[in-house]
Structure formats: C-alpha cells, structure tokens
Amino acid sequence: MLMSSCREKGELIRTLVGTLDDTSGSQKYHTIKQSSVVPNNLPLFQWEGCASVPTAPVFGDVAACLQKFQDIMFCHNLNYDTNFLCLIPACLTTQRSWFDVFLSGFDLSRRPPTWSEFKRAMTEHYGLTVDEDRTVAGVELTDISMNRHKTYDAFIDRFNGLRRRAVDQCPPNSVLVKKFLNALPLDLQDRIAVSRSSLEKPKKNNLEHIMGLVKELGKVKTKRGPEAGTSTLGGVDKKIKMG
C-alpha cells in the first residue's frame, strides 16, 4: 500500500515537472517571437519623390527611412528579425502593395523574411542605382550650402559623405575648395580668408586643412561660450581671430 502510494506521488511529480518544462519552453518561444512594445515614434515611409502624407516628415531617400526605423527598434531593444513584420505595415504608405508581393515569396509559417532581406529588397526596388547615387551626390556637392543651425562638424561630415558617394562625379579638388568655402556664412568666409592668406600654398588649397580651420574655430567658440558665439553656424563673434 505504501509502495503504491509512493509510485503514484512519483508519477504526479514527474507529470508536474514535465508540465512546467513545457510551459517554460512555450514562454521562451513567445518572448522571442513577440513583443508587446509598440514605439509611438515609428517613421512613415515616404521620401522625396515618394510622399503622399503632407503632414508627416519626408526623408531624403528610402535608405534614410529604413535607418530611422532600425534606430527606433534598437532604442527599444527590439529584435529586428522577430518584430519588424508586426511594425512595418503601419509605416508603409504607397509601398503596401509591394510589401504584400514581397511576403508572398516566403512561407511565413516556416521561415519568414529577415530584416536584412526586407531592407535589401526594398532598397533594390525603391532605391537608386550606384550610378544614380553618384550623380545625385555630385549635384548636391555643386549646390551645397551650410545650414546655420547645424554644427561645424555636422556640415563637414555631410560634405565628406557626399565626396565619398560621388566618386567619379566628384569635382576636382580646386573646385571642391571653392564649393566648401562658398557654402560657409559670409562672416566665416572672411575669417577663413584672413587665415589662409598667411598659409603656404600647399596648405592654402588643401581642403582637409581648411576643414581643420573651421573645426578649430568651432572649438574656440564653444570654449568662450555664448558671448563669443555658439558652436552652431550662427554668426561668428568679431573677437574671434584665426591665424
């Protein structure tokens, strides 16, 4: 009688343990596959030449949309592959029909698309070709201007980024120097001209050196505080000198 009771208790314990293991596994699966977090600042996918909602921000291109979406996912600690399919539909505008066609190429119950596959497919469908991107970058370099509310470093990073993208469409160095200088605010152009006048000819026409002068001016302004100007591209205080 005692032996039988022990066997029954043993079976009950094994059954309970097995149930707990199954539940634990199920919880792990759902934790990985799903998230209850829905960011409220997801971007609407529209860019220049493909915008249909006037009240929403318009990005420069599809790559900028994808990067913004990915940044928000990262900030909320969301796994890209296991969560993007639930969030992307709410971000799409005119691309929704393309998205449905894209999904039709996968067996969603067995192997849904990864975030990388989605990004690559969308970029190939809506993005620029390499040659087109080089041409666009070259044109932007020709017409570049400095936003007075951006920092010196931000403008220089943008200028250098366009140089890298333009490749064979990039103007000669002498032209780049002129484009860079002409993009600066007039008061800053004057100070750079004074500083360049005392330089040796190789440095005078060296774009990297000129960018260094602009960065140095930004550091001086930041150290001196509001009275000597800010580190943004607003006016430059007359007391600041470069040489």
Side-chain angles (χ1 to χ4, degrees):
M1 186 74 176
L2 180 60
M3 185 65 71
S4 177
S5 177
C6 289
R7 287 198 187 99
E8 290 176 358
K9 288 181 180 180
E11 290 296 331
L12 179 59
I13 291 172
R14 279 192 291 273
T15 300
L16 288 173
V17 170
T19 302
L20 288 173
D21 288 342
D22 291 342
T23 303
S24 176
S26 176
Q27 288 175 340
K28 288 180 182 178
Y29 174 81
H30 288 295
T31 300
I32 294 174
K33 287 296 181 182
Q34 299 175 357
S35 172
S36 59
V37 177
V38 179
N40 59 7
N41 56 342
L42 289 172
L44 201 61
F45 274 42
Q46 56 177 14
W47 53 89
E48 295 177 7
C50 185
S52 58
V53 183
T55 56
V58 178
F59 294 89
D61 52 30
V62 64
C65 293
L66 292 166
Q67 186 61 57
K68 181 66 174 179
F69 181 88
Q70 183 169 305
D71 289 346
I72 293 174
M73 294 268 284
F74 178 80
C75 289
H76 287 81
N77 198 29
L78 295 174
N79 182 283
Y80 302 146
D81 291 336
T82 56
N83 289 287
F84 88 91
L85 281 178
C86 297
L87 300 175
I88 276 291
C91 301
L92 301 179
T93 53
T94 57
Q95 312 88 22
R96 185 53 196 263
S97 58
W98 169 84
F99 180 65
D100 291 338
V101 173
F102 168 74
L103 290 182
S104 67
F106 295 85
D107 184 345
L108 299 182
S109 63
R110 294 187 177 184
R111 197 195 77 78
T114 65
W115 170 242
S116 293
E117 289 172 332
F118 171 76
K119 280 202 306 182
R120 182 169 59 252
M122 192 169 196
T123 301
E124 288 177 354
H125 187 80
Y126 290 103
L128 298 175
T129 65
V130 174
D131 289 339
E132 289 172 336
D133 186 60
R134 289 179 179 180
T135 300
V136 169
V139 171
E140 288 186 24
L141 269 177
T142 302
D143 299 328
I144 195 169
S145 61
M146 182 182 289
N147 186 327
R148 297 179 67 88
H149 299 290
K150 295 293 185 180
T151 63
Y152 294 98
D153 286 344
F155 172 70
I156 291 173
D157 287 345
R158 179 188 169 210
F159 194 93
N160 285 333
L162 290 172
R163 278 205 295 168
R164 287 191 294 269
R165 285 172 50 201
V167 193
D168 58 333
Q169 298 297 316
C170 189
N173 187 70
S174 58
V175 176
L176 282 177
V177 170
K178 292 180 181 179
K179 294 296 181 184
F180 181 80
L181 291 173
N182 290 338
L184 301 173
L186 292 177
D187 50 0
L188 184 55
Q189 289 184 37
D190 292 339
R191 306 204 183 299
I192 294 296
V194 171
S195 181
R196 289 179 70 206
S197 65
S198 61
L199 295 175
E200 297 177 358
K201 189 172 181 180
K203 288 186 177 180
K204 185 179 297 187
N205 297 312
N206 185 292
L207 184 57
E208 279 67 28
H209 187 78
I210 295 172
M211 288 179 173
L213 293 178
V214 174
K215 287 184 177 182
E216 190 62 31
L217 177 58
K219 291 179 182 178
V220 172
K221 290 170 65 180
T222 302
K223 289 178 181 178
R224 294 193 178 188
E227 292 184 358
T230 65
S231 60
T232 60
L233 298 173
V236 180
D237 192 275
K238 295 294 183 182
K239 292 184 290 184
I240 298 176
K241 295 182 179 181
M242 295 184 64

